[in-house]
Amino acid sequence: MTHHIVVLGAGYAGLVAAKLAARQKGTRVTLVNRRDHFVERVRLHQLVTGQRLRDLPLADLLAGTGVELVVDTVTGIDADTRTVRPAHAPEIGYDTLVYALGSQADLSPVPGAAEHAHTVATLDQAERLRTRLRDGGTAVVVGGGLTGIETAAELAECLPEVKVRLVTEGALGGALSRRAQRHLNAAFGRLAVEVREHARVTEVHDDHVTLEGGERLGADVTIWTTGFRVPELARQAGFSVDDDGRMLVDPTLRSVSHREVYGIGDAAAVRTADGVELRMACATGLPVAQQAVRAITARLAGRTPDPVRFRYANQCVSLGRRDGLIQFVRGDDSPVEMVLTGRTAAAYKEAIVKGTVMALRHPWMPTRMPGR
């Protein structure tokens, strides 16, 4: 009897999971995604500056895999009947559900952000921001995480008509090593990015942001890169979720409340067996997708799957097209002093991003299957 696996979301994790699951004997796979193209989310800050991204139709990426693609928006999940409700297509029944709907920017905590701020979290939002930046002016990037750093650097390098400011609640690159912070500050100095550290934005207006304490910073455009939220579908379906709405999964990536459901990617709260929570990133999404399919396959064969294993190696940060920063880290993602910088780091980061697309085209799993 064929086992039907439905994957929701064709981001980095969902696409890999669908293609790997389709290779398993006795399975049929349906992939549901709101777009018919794969979006290189890690390159959206490049799109904002007018750079062209690769055209990656899902039909091409799925060719020859046997995966059925449904291009539609999921409006609900019925856990009792094990069905998914797309907005326009007929309901889809599943034996196993892989929940990989990803995340988007959260503009709700700060007044005015939803009305006036732009983001680089989705293709539509990045395209709107690209159009807005054609007029030049001053851009205030809110958030000093890796997304904010990459966005500010890309704008400053590629759009000299735009004055770039970055506002961060902590120190610039505060989670990086001292050597990395020194390089980052030097790069921002070279790019003339104005940095406001230890400052919190409390309100966003159409022409300025207000900082805690009342100071106003002029902003022709505000770019919000801090805070993410996940879809409400898991909570609405009755799956166990954390306070942020991310699906709670066990060490084999299976929902703690529904045995036929697995959660991967940004929309799941994934922890390794020793309790380390994985951060949102394609670097974690791809191997976690691989391990989810291994767990599903093991259970279908009557074996007990191994818990998820993951060790970090580095954090890759682009600083425009000609500079970069590779922060090497311990297995728990804490930084060491070793870094790679400059053009070599930029080439390293570019190779990683290109390699990710190659992994999407040709995903693989280790030959040793889980189980004992």
Side-chain angles (χ1 to χ4, degrees), residues 107 111-118 204-208 220-223:
L107 300 174
E115 293 81 8
H116 303 296
H118 296 259
V204 179
H205 299 266
D206 61 352
D207 61 353
H208 71 276
D220 296 298
V221 58
T222 300
I223 305 171

Side-chain angles (χ1 to χ4, degrees), residues 50-74:
Q51 299 172 57
R52 295 186 63 182
L53 304 187
R54 282 173 288 190
D55 186 39
L56 297 170
L58 286 173
D60 291 350
L61 292 172
L62 294 171
T65 64
V67 175
E68 177 189 0
L69 174 64
V70 175
V71 180
D72 208 337
T73 300
V74 178

Side-chain angles (χ1 to χ4, degrees), residues 24 86 103 154 186 316:
Q24 309 310 310
S103 63
E154 203 77 34
C316 301

Side-chain angles (χ1 to χ4, degrees), residues 223-235:
I223 305 171
W224 203 264
T225 68
T226 180
F228 291 88
R229 61 184 177 88
V230 300
E232 286 292 313
L233 285 173
R235 190 193 304 275

Side-chain angles (χ1 to χ4, degrees), residues 249-327:
V249 296
D250 69 15
T252 67
L253 304 168
R254 185 167 65 174
S255 165
V256 299
S257 60
H258 292 73
R259 298 170 62 85
E260 70 282 357
V261 179
Y262 291 74
I264 58 176
D266 291 357
V270 178
R271 288 177 174 82
T272 61
D274 54 2
V276 175
E277 183 171 320
L278 302 188
R279 58 180 163 87
M280 295 180 176
C282 69
T284 55
L286 270 65
V288 166
Q290 176 194 79
Q291 294 184 64
V293 175
R294 292 176 62 180
I296 293 168
T297 303
R299 286 196 169 100
L300 290 178
R303 299 191 298 268
T304 300
D306 290 336
V308 64
R309 293 185 174 90
F310 186 86
R311 289 184 60 83
Y312 290 96
N314 53 50
Q315 297 179 18
C316 301
V317 189
S318 64
L319 300 172
R321 296 298 91 203
R322 297 184 295 275
D323 192 4
L325 172 62
I326 309 302
Q327 172 69 72

